[in-house]
Amino acid sequence: MDDDLQTDSDEDLFRNPVYYEPAGRNLDLDRPDLGVPQGQDLLNVLLRMRGRVPVEKRGLICPDCRDLRGRRVPMYIVQRDGVLLASHYRKPGEKPVSHESDEHLARKERVAKDSEDHGFQADIESPAADGHARLDVRINGADGIVLGYEPQLSPARGIRAREGFRRRGGIRSVWDFADPDHAGIGTVPYVRTPNLPASVIRVQRNPIAVQDGNFVLEEGKCSPSGALTRCPERPYDPENPIHNGYCGGWHRVLVPAHQSSTATGEGSLTLTRFIVEAAAGERIPFQRGGHHGWLLAQQWQQYLEANGPALDDKGRQPSVRQGDRRDRCTEDRPASEVRAVPKQRCGSRAMVLESRPKETEAAKVPVDASGQAIPLCRFGCGQPASLPGPEGLPEHFSCRRKNEA
């Protein structure tokens, strides 16, 4: 009876919100009783419907498809590794259900067209070679580079796991966030761009500025006259931005380009230029202390020379997929009442690679005309005294008078 059912891949299968029509409410798949009276019995019934009752008649539908598109899309429940998952019903050959916003689609179309115009083949909604990931835009770059462009315009969890699938498949991902407080910033190789309407994005002559994710390597003395804008190891005080802003030492840091000493605000990096240079191998993704970003190839080489080779992907812990099936029906839709809001995180920050403390200068010992050291006053004033007193010890006449008084 379910022979015409197109099952979802691991990349598409998430714990989607699911609405049970007879009860008139969403089911909570995190609870054994599904959040409804006699829920345990209902769960057993729903699981036994497999192969017996047509999916359209089981009473399970997608609440987001209903609310956002006005469509009744049947769903069914499966168990994977002891986890309950709700999946959309679709026939073989049909694409997964998508509620991508017009802005999301516009970004994919813009990047694909810009890449093609610069000589790099680009495909929208392209599966990865291993079948574990579906790329929003796949760009075939130079020297075998495969670039995956992934715009993220709404809160979404599971990004690290999805990035893990892409990385292990040899794909360099560019995650594009519009929200400066998006939880994914810094957890994956990313850029941040303005939140623009689709009508503006689709006009190719309109530049889309890269506001974050692009880093530069800087080093120098930590002083007002040095190469660094401020000390990377001291907290920034917005009430007094220049107070105690330097330590006098020396640092080598990775710093967001817009916060660097060379930032001018003119001729800013655009998304088109960034994508083209990344596809050409002129920009390299890096990871430092769990924080991700991008470096120009020349600065990447300087980074490797100063800090050694990057961590081999084989040495990383594999992602636990079971813990990430939580968050979405699709990537661009309102938060469901069944899911918790992810914790926000801000990613623009400098990363210290090496620091040296301020070098203390050796105290200069005063000498006389013959080059001999001048001893200090016997009365403890701390100053050199070149003339001896009656006892033959170095002293100042004023210090003797004070002592005798």
Side-chain angles (χ1 to χ4, degrees), residues 155-230:
R157 287 182 290 178
I159 289 180
R160 292 192 198 188
R162 293 159 62 195
E163 167 61 18
F165 286 125
R166 288 155 175 76
R167 186 178 61 246
R168 289 189 289 274
I171 297 166
R172 293 184 181 181
S173 299
V174 180
W175 298 83
D176 185 2
F177 302 105
D179 181 1
D181 293 321
H182 196 288
I185 288 180
T187 64
V188 290
Y190 75 103
V191 294
R192 181 169 60 82
T193 56
N195 190 7
L196 301 172
S199 58
V200 174
I201 296 172
R202 287 195 169 97
V203 179
Q204 282 188 283
R205 66 174 178 269
N206 290 335
I208 303 174
V210 172
Q211 299 174 320
D212 194 8
N214 175 43
F215 286 72
V216 295
L217 183 67
E218 289 193 336
E219 60 182 52
K221 189 174 181 181
C222 187
S223 68
S225 59
L228 302 180
T229 303
R230 62 171 288 105

Side-chain angles (χ1 to χ4, degrees), residues 15-229:
R15 185 174 294 171
N16 302 306
V18 57
Y19 182 83
Y20 187 52
E21 291 178 310
R25 61 191 299 178
N26 282 8
L27 301 182
D28 187 349
L29 299 185
D30 286 321
R31 296 175 54 177
D33 62 357
L34 305 181
V36 297
Q38 290 81 45
Q40 185 61 56
D41 295 335
L42 173 61
L43 175 60
N44 295 332
V45 170
L46 293 174
L47 293 176
R48 287 199 302 269
M49 287 183 179
R50 178 77 176 179
R52 301 178 181 180
V53 179
V55 177
E56 298 94 332
K57 298 182 179 180
R58 298 179 189 177
L60 299 175
I61 66 170
C62 175
D64 291 336
C65 292
R66 177 198 60 195
D67 298 338
L68 297 178
R69 304 175 64 191
R71 290 183 53 188
R72 183 183 183 275
V73 177
M75 303 187 78
Y76 59 95
I77 293 178
V78 297
Q79 281 185 314
R80 292 279 182 88
D81 303 322
V83 178
L84 290 177
L85 304 165
S87 184
H88 299 85
Y89 171 73
R90 54 194 175 97
K91 295 183 178 180
E94 290 182 348
K95 292 183 179 180
V97 175
S98 175
H99 303 157
E100 292 178 343
S101 66
D102 198 26
E103 289 76 14
H104 187 100
L105 292 170
R107 286 175 183 264
K108 295 196 300 184
E109 294 165 1
R110 170 71 178 269
V111 166
K113 184 167 179 51
D114 285 346
S115 300
E116 295 274 4
D117 290 346
H118 285 81
F120 297 112
Q121 179 187 357
D123 299 305
I124 295 177
E125 293 295 330
S126 174
D130 59 6
H132 289 295
R134 189 180 69 254
L135 309 181
D136 279 345
V137 182
R138 175 193 174 100
I139 303 165
N140 295 322
D143 301 325
I145 293 176
V146 178
L147 202 66
Y149 174 68
E150 308 289 338
Q152 294 289 309
L153 304 183
S154 65
R157 287 182 290 178
I159 289 180
R160 292 192 198 188
R162 293 159 62 195
E163 167 61 18
F165 286 125
R166 288 155 175 76
R167 186 178 61 246
R168 289 189 289 274
I171 297 166
R172 293 184 181 181
S173 299
V174 180
W175 298 83
D176 185 2
F177 302 105
D179 181 1
D181 293 321
H182 196 288
I185 288 180
T187 64
V188 290
Y190 75 103
V191 294
R192 181 169 60 82
T193 56
N195 190 7
L196 301 172
S199 58
V200 174
I201 296 172
R202 287 195 169 97
V203 179
Q204 282 188 283
R205 66 174 178 269
N206 290 335
I208 303 174
V210 172
Q211 299 174 320
D212 194 8
N214 175 43
F215 286 72
V216 295
L217 183 67
E218 289 193 336
E219 60 182 52
K221 189 174 181 181
C222 187
S223 68
S225 59
L228 302 180
T229 303

Side-chain angles (χ1 to χ4, degrees), residues 4-17:
D4 62 344
L5 179 67
Q6 175 69 51
T7 58
D8 286 325
S9 66
D10 197 47
E11 172 75 2
D12 298 319
L13 191 55
F14 287 83
R15 185 174 294 171
N16 302 306

Side-chain angles (χ1 to χ4, degrees), residues 124-388:
I124 295 177
E125 293 295 330
S126 174
D130 59 6
H132 289 295
R134 189 180 69 254
L135 309 181
D136 279 345
V137 182
R138 175 193 174 100
I139 303 165
N140 295 322
D143 301 325
I145 293 176
V146 178
L147 202 66
Y149 174 68
E150 308 289 338
Q152 294 289 309
L153 304 183
S154 65
R157 287 182 290 178
I159 289 180
R160 292 192 198 188
R162 293 159 62 195
E163 167 61 18
F165 286 125
R166 288 155 175 76
R167 186 178 61 246
R168 289 189 289 274
I171 297 166
R172 293 184 181 181
S173 299
V174 180
W175 298 83
D176 185 2
F177 302 105
D179 181 1
D181 293 321
H182 196 288
I185 288 180
T187 64
V188 290
Y190 75 103
V191 294
R192 181 169 60 82
T193 56
N195 190 7
L196 301 172
S199 58
V200 174
I201 296 172
R202 287 195 169 97
V203 179
Q204 282 188 283
R205 66 174 178 269
N206 290 335
I208 303 174
V210 172
Q211 299 174 320
D212 194 8
N214 175 43
F215 286 72
V216 295
L217 183 67
E218 289 193 336
E219 60 182 52
K221 189 174 181 181
C222 187
S223 68
S225 59
L228 302 180
T229 303
R230 62 171 288 105
C231 180
E233 294 183 330
R234 296 194 174 185
Y236 177 74
D237 182 5
E239 299 291 333
N240 195 352
I242 63 173
H243 174 66
N244 206 23
Y246 299 95
C247 69
W250 180 93
H251 306 289
R252 179 186 292 119
V253 296
L254 287 172
V255 61
H258 64 280
Q259 297 177 0
S260 68
S261 60
T262 58
T264 62
E266 299 179 0
S268 59
L269 179 65
T270 65
L271 180 61
T272 299
R273 177 183 164 192
F274 181 93
I275 292 293
V276 170
E277 290 180 350
E282 298 174 9
R283 292 186 181 274
I284 312 294
F286 74 88
Q287 178 183 1
R288 176 74 183 184
H291 192 93
H292 295 255
W294 290 82
L295 281 169
L296 284 170
Q298 180 181 3
Q299 297 218 333
W300 168 249
Q301 290 301 323
Q302 296 175 8
Y303 171 80
L304 291 183
E305 291 171 3
N307 299 276
L311 177 64
D312 187 0
D313 187 56
K314 294 180 181 179
R316 292 189 175 100
Q317 284 291 106
S319 299
V320 181
R321 185 64 179 171
Q322 287 84 347
D324 296 307
R325 296 171 178 151
R326 292 289 187 274
D327 66 332
R328 63 182 172 89
C329 163
T330 57
E331 296 181 1
D332 290 290
R333 63 180 179 81
S336 169
E337 63 185 43
V338 178
R339 298 188 307 276
V341 177
K343 184 178 181 180
Q344 293 185 344
R345 174 184 176 182
C346 187
S348 296
R349 60 184 177 91
M351 288 163 272
V352 181
L353 304 178
E354 183 182 354
S355 290
R356 292 198 294 266
K358 181 179 179 180
E359 297 180 358
T360 57
E361 296 182 358
K364 294 182 179 180
V365 179
V367 296
D368 58 20
S370 63
Q372 298 296 319
I374 301 176
L376 299 180
C377 176
R378 60 175 292 202
F379 293 110
C381 70
Q383 299 299 319
S386 57
L387 297 177

